[in-house]
Amino acid sequence: MVVSKSSKPYQIFREQLKKTLANDSSIDISIDVIMIDELNQVFLDDVDSDSYKLLVTVGSKAAKKMSQLDSKKAVLNTLLPKRSYQLIIKEVDNKNLQRYSAVFIDQPLSRKLDLIRIALPDIKNVGVILGPSTASRKKELSDIALKKNIRIESKTINKTGELLSTLNDVLDDNEVLLTIADPVVINRSTLQSLFMTSYMKRIPVVGYSRAYVRAGALIAVYSTPKQLAQYTGELIVDMLKGSKMAARKLYYPKYFSVSINERVARSLGLFLKSESKIQSDMQLKEGGS
Amino acid sequence: MSKKFNCSCLVRILTYMIILTTSQNNYADEIDNLEDEFLSDVPVILTGSRLEQPRSEVPASQTVLTSEMIEASGTRDIPSLFRLVPGFQVARVNGVTAVTYHGNSDIYSKRLQVLIDGRSVYTPLFGGVDWSDLPISIDDVERIEVVRGPNGVAYGANSFIGVINIITIPPDLAQGNKLIVEGGKQGTGRMYYRYGNKDRKLSYRLSVEAKKNDYYRGVADDERRQKINIRGIYNPDTVNTLDFSAGYITGDNSKGDGRVNDPFRREDITSYYQQLVWTRQVSNIEEVKLNFSYNYHRVNDVWDAFFPIPANLLITPPPAPIPGIIVPYQLSLSGFEKRYNFEYQHTKRFSKQFRAVWGAEVRLDQVSGIYDFGYFNTADTIDNHLYRVFANTEWVANKDLNVNGGLLIEKNDITNTNFSPRLALNYHLKPGHTFRSVASIAYRTPSAFEDRANGVIDLGGIVLPPFDQNILFRGNQNLKPEKMTSYELGYLFEMPESRSSIDVKLFYERIRDIISDFEDKTATDADNEIDPAYITGGKTDTWGIEAQAEYRPGRKTRLWVTYSYAQLKGQYIEKRLVNGTFVSRNLSGSVPRHTVSFLVSHKLEQDLSVSAGYYNVSSMKWVGGDETGGYNTMDVRISKRIKAGSLKGRYEVIIKDALKSYFDFDRAYKKEPVVLVSVSMEF
């Protein structure tokens, strides 16, 4: 397992993954962990040897580094957004593509819309702002929304300077703002205007991380590093048990959490179900469909 | 050495520029940090002080005028917006605009507190607010929060019948360039320009406005104003915020009615302010705020008057009267006022059940009639020192009941010490349904003019027959503060997800010790008359019911409706007869029985929208005005948005007072339809 960074989320991920693997009694798995900046030739030479069956990367940096390696080993990229995975895979030779499976950090769009359906059942009009790197998801978004009986208005901006006026338009016509990670739309310097404008117009924001909920989003569905590691562990066990190691598979996180900013909810006068109730309703819905 | 430094600096800048311009194409950097979006922490943006109290927990009746409503109303002056607040009346006469709640006012409406970003603009000289001289434009306004009812517990004296808090746009939300040009009938014209910029820690905006308006036809009351203001917010780190603002306004307007001693002339005004607010987010549950501000306002209005002097009183010299019978004499209605204010406020949530805000305020108001023949017969400033301490607590007794209790103690040079308490209960029947009951006491301090006015015409010993002792006006240092006791019962129904709500309020307001100017015939001077002088002694009791509702029939339509029913019993002292008896003037007609407003906006297509505001005010008589007989009026607006590349714009056509002509104060000042065309651009 190659890890991108040593900060807390990566540590938690590492520890949980080890624990999950250790707890599984059906198969005996040993795992070697190496930090990306400790990578040395000895290890790299060893990668292709029989001592490792699967290469797990944690974070985008490690995923990228390993994708540049000339190896035949199956790779499971974890703790990275779908967008990074796509960018990395673009550079990979087509015949090697099958080796790269991934567990994304981001939530599937259908889950985000389920969140809105369940937490804010009276809301019918959802606004979304896409940027250059998410513009391609416009169609996917409206298809899923159609299935969920939600009306989505998505507008695309090409540069950050266009955000405020587009945001105003979208907020005027919709009852909730759904955020989708795109560095042109949402970054540290736009976050303030985004949350404040929405709040002033009394439009709740649906975020995609716990930090955003603390900063001012009303609600978010996200997976913690621990949940991601748990799922990754289960997948690794399956992969090592099964025979089709090489088949490329992409997974959205199975386990997720819902977090609500109670103060924002109260200030907007919204009465929401509890976090755990929303979460279990969502799980029920996913299980049923 | 320095040359080398400059050189390496230049290289570094160039390197940065290259990195910056290329980094967008450099996908490697982007990939490495993409997951940070999901994993890293960000500063709290909607902090405690930015979050408004939930409407169902506000311990008062509140109306919020949002930017959406302001836009839909088509209004270009801030006071006219208050027609959208239940129970409010607005009038303009003779270059002065008055805004009052539940009538009971003259044109100088002194019982309403007005704040801009928390800074009081209530004038210490006469009391009330100079609406024409606010240093901000309506396009600088983000929203306006109106507390209907006294709020002395939060803002001290003069937050008497209500409080208007105007909140300007934070610089973060006013980025780029915006230009508005508009013009219309009755000499209406306006240019507004705004620029905003920011970097990681600092954001600022600057706006300028030039505005003119001839107002009423056939009356010399045209007005011109030029203003500039700046606001910046600096966030050195995630816990401290410095919010600074400054503004300047200058202008002139017509005065006078053309008579010999009130000739046509120009009045000049200048006003400016500076404010610095430092907020420190001590923790998630605790915040400290320091607010320093300075206001200056000056009016210059001086003219020559001519008093006929009987031959037997002629003395020469001095002064040297025009041979015959006329003395030219300079009269002045000029003055300046300065306010230095410092406020400390501490907010803390002690537990889930208990939250408190407490603090202190120190203020110095200085006013002067400028000339020694002015308002106070002295060249010195009249000073008023003010000290306040306050505490407000919110106790969540159980999940259905909030109890708000607070007290403000104020000491000032004019009325000494007053206590303004408030107790409020908010009971949540079930989600979306809240009952509230509020009881509070507030005071209005006599203005410097009511307290200390001394308008003496000194003709070097000559006493003019129309003016005994040549006194034009006289204050009274024995005035008590006016006292308001208010009780209200409210019910709030909310459907937040469709943003529809209804708020109904039953109220009873009891005002005692009303100050009025009166004629005192017992004065033992030459002609037994001094006018005006001030006296305490009037009283009113007002009760009624009012409601506001917001409704969204569909995505494209918004509707706001208000209604107010009010009845008033009471009077003020108008005269003291020679035999010593007081004569009172009945005030019951000073509040309109019914006030109605409708504001509707509808989007016809993506870029085309229409809106209309309808206002009905039943008959009332302002103190000093005429019985209006009731009136209906309507403003209509059509707005079309245009887009050309990165340029965004909007055309607007507004017809103000589109129905028949009417008057809201004095029958000589008739409002007639005015067409206004506006073009705005953002780039």
Side-chain angles (χ1 to χ4, degrees):
Chain A
M1 176 160 75
V2 184
V3 182
S4 297
K5 296 175 188 176
S6 56
S7 57
K8 196 113 186 250
Y10 301 85
Q11 272 179 34
I12 294 172
F13 185 93
R14 245 167 80 169
E15 296 316 310
Q16 180 61 39
L17 183 62
K18 278 187 191 164
K19 215 188 274 173
T20 307
L21 294 178
N23 283 350
D24 192 291
S25 51
S26 63
I27 182 166
D28 192 20
I29 300 173
S30 73
I31 182 160
D32 286 345
V33 178
I34 187 156
M35 298 303 300
I36 192 161
D37 36 15
E38 291 165 3
L39 277 181
N40 50 37
Q41 207 48 51
V42 180
F43 174 82
L44 290 176
D45 291 344
D46 212 21
V47 165
D48 254 344
S49 75
D50 280 345
S51 43
Y52 299 113
K53 274 197 157 170
L54 176 68
L55 193 60
V56 178
T57 68
V58 184
S60 308
K61 211 172 168 184
K64 192 176 74 188
K65 183 90 187 165
M66 290 300 109
S67 75
Q68 290 154 357
L69 209 65
D70 190 25
S71 149
K72 297 278 176 292
K73 275 275 149 1
V75 180
L76 181 63
N77 295 136
T78 70
L79 211 66
L80 84 174
K82 188 176 183 181
R83 163 122 182 104
S84 324
Y85 174 80
Q86 287 169 334
L87 287 171
I88 291 164
I89 224 74
K90 239 181 15 198
E91 309 286 313
V92 170
D93 210 26
N94 261 347
K95 65 178 195 312
N96 275 331
L97 267 186
Q98 285 305 314
R99 295 198 292 116
Y100 294 94
S101 296
V103 186
F104 303 135
I105 198 170
D106 31 11
Q107 306 298 315
L109 285 174
S110 64
R111 186 175 292 160
K112 291 183 178 206
L113 294 180
D114 280 347
L115 173 71
I116 294 174
R117 261 271 148 273
I118 288 163
L120 303 161
D122 295 333
I123 277 179
K124 288 175 191 66
N125 303 297
V126 177
V128 178
I129 300 177
L130 302 172
S133 59
T134 41
S136 58
R137 304 187 72 181
K138 200 179 173 96
K139 173 86 170 62
E140 181 192 354
L141 195 60
S142 56
D143 288 350
I144 297 173
L146 199 68
K147 265 188 238 156
K148 307 263 174 201
N149 199 17
I150 288 178
R151 209 199 61 87
I152 283 221
E153 180 186 25
S154 59
K155 292 205 169 173
T156 306
I157 60 170
N158 297 315
K159 51 182 200 286
T160 301
E162 297 166 17
L163 176 66
L164 262 188
S165 62
T166 308
L167 179 65
N168 275 306
D169 287 354
V170 169
L171 294 175
D172 281 345
D173 289 351
N174 296 287
E175 295 141 343
V176 66
L177 181 74
L178 171 66
T179 56
I180 294 178
D182 186 309
V184 170
V185 181
I186 302 166
N187 55 55
R188 246 157 212 263
S189 70
T190 62
L191 210 57
Q192 178 123 349
S193 337
L194 200 101
F195 282 161
M196 279 171 63
T197 311
S198 309
Y199 178 69
M200 279 168 183
K201 294 199 179 245
R202 292 289 176 279
I203 303 287
V205 177
V206 176
Y208 49 77
S209 79
R210 197 193 163 94
Y212 282 5
V213 169
R214 215 172 23 234
L218 170 74
I219 194 167
V221 54
Y222 59 92
S223 300
T224 60
K226 207 170 167 174
Q227 288 171 324
L228 289 164
Q230 171 70 28
Y231 185 41
T232 303
E234 293 171 10
L235 288 170
I236 291 172
V237 170
D238 282 356
M239 285 171 97
L240 293 181
K241 272 183 175 171
S243 49
K244 287 191 182 172
M245 279 287 288
R248 176 190 181 206
K249 278 203 165 159
L250 304 177
Y251 304 93
Y252 278 111
K254 179 177 173 189
Y255 306 109
F256 56 86
S257 301
V258 170
S259 177
I260 293 173
N261 187 326
E262 297 288 350
R263 293 167 81 187
V264 170
R266 271 184 26 192
S267 183
L268 292 173
L270 293 166
F271 316 104
L272 301 181
K273 296 177 210 166
S274 71
E275 291 169 352
S276 54
K277 173 79 176 121
I278 293 171
Q279 201 173 317
S280 60
D281 283 1
M282 286 171 70
Q283 274 155 352
L284 215 64
K285 189 151 193 182
E286 288 190 8
S289 63
Chain B
M1 177 72 191
S2 77
K3 195 167 181 179
K4 189 173 172 228
F5 174 77
N6 282 339
C7 185
S8 69
C9 210
L10 188 68
V11 170
R12 263 166 67 185
I13 289 169
L14 282 173
T15 318
Y16 278 132
M17 282 171 68
I18 291 162
I19 291 171
L20 277 173
T21 47
T22 53
S23 65
Q24 270 192 317
N25 303 323
N26 188 348
Y27 90 101
D29 288 0
E30 189 191 330
I31 292 176
D32 282 357
N33 297 312
L34 264 179
E35 72 243 29
D36 286 355
E37 273 295 298
F38 295 85
L39 299 174
S40 66
D41 231 347
V42 289
V44 176
I45 289 159
L46 297 181
T47 55
S49 63
R50 281 199 177 126
L51 277 178
E52 283 164 53
Q53 214 173 0
R55 282 179 66 185
S56 60
E57 289 172 24
V58 174
S61 299
Q62 196 183 43
T63 302
V64 179
L65 302 172
T66 60
S67 54
E68 195 180 16
M69 294 169 77
I70 296 172
E71 188 182 330
S73 74
T75 297
R76 290 300 187 266
D77 59 310
I78 293 170
S80 297
L81 292 171
F82 301 112
R83 296 178 300 172
L84 293 165
V85 182
F88 270 67
Q89 292 84 41
V90 182
R92 183 178 172 91
V93 71
N94 214 1
V96 183
T97 301
V99 176
T100 187
Y101 180 52
H102 297 154
N104 192 10
S105 174
D106 60 14
I107 198 69
Y108 301 104
S109 180
K110 295 169 192 160
R111 301 192 178 102
L112 191 66
Q113 179 66 263
V114 178
L115 307 128
I116 300 176
D117 293 328
R119 175 175 51 86
S120 168
V121 290
Y122 183 93
T123 77
L125 179 49
F126 293 114
V129 174
D130 288 300
W131 290 101
S132 291
D133 300 351
L134 296 186
I136 57 159
S137 158
I138 194 165
D139 281 284
D140 297 327
V141 175
E142 171 59 42
R143 69 175 192 281
I144 302 176
E145 296 172 354
V146 182
V147 173
R148 293 176 285 128
N151 202 359
V153 69
Y155 301 109
N158 309 327
S159 304
F160 194 74
I161 50 173
V163 181
I164 290 172
N165 198 354
I166 301 172
I167 293 147
T168 68
I169 304 181
D172 258 301
L173 306 186
Q175 296 292 297
N177 297 276
K178 183 174 188 175
L179 178 68
I180 302 173
V181 180
E182 58 196 28
K185 279 173 67 180
Q186 271 311 99
T188 310
R190 189 169 77 107
M191 272 179 72
Y192 173 82
Y193 170 73
R194 183 175 76 201
Y195 173 74
N197 202 349
K198 66 172 178 182
D199 64 15
R200 275 178 64 87
K201 290 182 173 172
L202 174 74
S203 59
Y204 64 91
R205 64 162 170 78
L206 171 86
S207 53
V208 291
E209 184 186 62
K211 193 179 175 185
K212 72 182 191 68
N213 198 328
D214 288 353
Y215 290 103
Y216 298 101
R217 243 189 347 180
V219 183
D221 66 342
D222 68 279
E223 186 177 280
R224 294 184 291 195
R225 293 289 186 268
Q226 300 87 44
K227 28 189 131 167
I228 177 165
N229 71 72
I230 184 164
R231 183 170 174 204
I233 293 182
Y234 177 65
N235 288 304
D237 48 48
T238 55
V239 293
N240 292 294
T241 303
L242 284 175
D243 183 341
F244 59 92
S245 52
Y248 178 86
I249 175 169
T250 182
D252 63 346
N253 42 269
S254 288
K255 282 281 286 272
D257 61 11
R259 284 182 304 180
V260 161
N261 283 341
D262 192 9
F264 292 125
R265 60 190 189 274
R266 309 278 317 159
E267 173 188 76
D268 300 308
I269 73 100
T270 304
S271 177
Y272 46 85
Y273 73 96
Q274 291 109 45
Q275 177 165 252
L276 177 68
V277 183
W278 175 34
T279 311
R280 184 175 167 76
Q281 186 93 24
V282 181
S283 73
N284 237 344
I285 51 158
E286 187 174 5
E287 187 183 271
V288 178
K289 196 181 211 172
L290 298 180
N291 187 342
F292 305 83
S293 69
Y294 172 70
N295 279 7
Y296 176 88
H297 181 229
R298 178 186 173 116
V299 175
N300 231 24
D301 181 19
V302 182
W303 71 98
D304 286 328
F306 299 90
F307 297 108
I309 295 182
N312 64 330
L313 287 176
L314 271 179
I315 317 164
T316 41
I322 294 169
I325 51 165
I326 293 196
V327 177
Y329 188 82
Q330 260 198 332
L331 283 184
S332 161
L333 286 176
S334 308
F336 71 74
E337 39 201 346
K338 294 179 184 174
R339 166 168 295 167
Y340 303 86
N341 202 73
F342 169 68
E343 189 186 4
Y344 156 79
Q345 187 184 300
H346 202 130
T347 311
K348 190 170 178 180
R349 184 176 287 276
F350 290 91
S351 70
K352 277 208 151 168
Q353 281 75 41
F354 191 75
R355 198 174 78 108
V357 46
W358 66 95
E361 190 170 358
V362 183
R363 177 183 293 180
L364 170 63
D365 283 337
Q366 295 188 309
V367 301
S368 164
I370 301 183
Y371 305 105
D372 57 3
F373 55 82
Y375 298 132
F376 303 103
N377 196 26
T378 167
D380 296 336
T381 58
I382 307 284
D383 294 359
N384 179 22
H385 299 81
L386 179 153
Y387 310 92
R388 285 173 184 158
V389 289
F390 55 89
N392 247 305
T393 58
E394 186 191 27
W395 174 47
V396 183
N398 58 54
K399 73 177 185 16
D400 299 325
L401 182 68
N402 286 32
V403 182
N404 268 273
L407 176 67
L408 179 142
I409 305 170
E410 170 171 328
K411 181 182 184 321
N412 66 58
D413 293 348
I414 298 174
T415 61
N416 225 335
T417 308
N418 297 310
F419 295 82
S420 301
R422 174 172 67 191
L423 181 68
L425 306 177
N426 289 47
Y427 179 72
H428 311 298
L429 193 62
K430 57 180 186 178
H433 299 264
T434 305
F435 286 102
R436 68 174 178 276
S437 59
V438 188
S440 61
I441 292 173
Y443 292 90
R444 179 178 84 82
T445 307
S447 67
F449 190 82
E450 289 168 323
D451 184 45
R452 298 278 290 272
N454 188 6
V456 175
I457 294 184
D458 184 355
L459 294 176
I462 301 177
V463 175
L464 295 179
F467 312 105
D468 48 81
Q469 295 183 344
N470 303 338
I471 290 176
L472 290 177
F473 33 76
R474 195 182 57 174
N476 178 354
Q477 287 191 255
N478 295 318
L479 295 173
K480 289 203 277 186
E482 294 184 345
K483 183 179 178 185
M484 156 77 94
T485 311
S486 158
Y487 302 96
E488 56 185 81
L489 280 176
Y491 165 68
L492 171 68
F493 167 66
E494 286 178 293
M495 288 203 310
E497 286 169 13
S498 57
R499 276 181 297 166
S500 299
S501 67
I502 298 172
D503 187 289
V504 183
K505 162 190 170 182
L506 267 169
F507 62 89
Y508 169 66
E509 292 162 355
R510 180 174 183 264
I511 307 180
R512 292 296 179 267
D513 303 325
I514 288 183
I515 299 166
S516 57
D517 56 87
F518 79 124
E519 269 179 79
D520 190 355
K521 303 259 186 195
T522 62
T524 53
D525 304 309
D527 66 347
N528 291 331
E529 209 176 296
I530 296 174
D531 185 20
Y534 289 96
I535 190 165
T536 286
K539 59 174 193 173
T540 59
D541 294 271
T542 311
W543 66 270
I545 185 165
E546 61 198 28
Q548 62 185 22
E550 179 178 1
Y551 179 56
R552 305 202 161 190
R555 277 182 65 233
K556 295 179 169 174
T557 311
R558 313 261 197 277
L559 179 66
W560 296 270
V561 184
T562 74
Y563 172 75
S564 171
Y565 174 92
Q567 273 208 36
L568 183 152
K569 264 169 87 173
Q571 67 276 325
Y572 67 88
I573 298 173
E574 190 183 38
K575 248 181 226 175
R576 175 152 60 185
L577 302 176
V578 184
N579 65 15
T581 50
F582 287 101
V583 177
S584 291
R585 167 80 83 148
N586 190 336
L587 277 166
S588 62
S590 72
V591 59
R593 189 61 58 89
H594 309 280
T595 317
V596 177
S597 80
F598 277 95
L599 177 65
V600 59
S601 84
H602 181 72
K603 223 179 216 185
L604 291 171
E605 46 188 85
Q606 185 58 27
D607 292 322
L608 185 67
S609 59
V610 291
S611 59
Y614 168 83
Y615 310 93
N616 176 300
V617 181
S618 70
S619 191
M620 72 176 286
K621 187 180 180 308
W622 290 76
V623 174
D626 296 323
E627 180 96 35
T628 64
Y631 57 85
N632 296 305
T633 182
M634 185 154 85
D635 300 340
V636 184
R637 165 181 167 273
I638 301 173
S639 157
K640 166 94 181 147
R641 291 195 296 184
I642 39 169
K643 228 182 212 173
S646 66
L647 188 83
K648 285 187 73 176
R650 192 180 66 186
Y651 294 112
E652 264 179 301
V653 178
I654 296 159
I655 309 172
K656 279 191 65 178
D657 297 313
L659 306 177
K660 62 179 196 286
S661 73
Y662 68 98
F663 68 92
D664 55 19
F665 190 97
D666 181 323
R667 63 177 81 254
Y669 293 76
K670 276 220 155 62
K671 290 203 158 146
E672 286 166 38
V674 173
V675 180
L676 187 75
V677 177
S678 169
V679 181
S680 81
M681 274 172 286
E682 283 177 58
F683 50 96

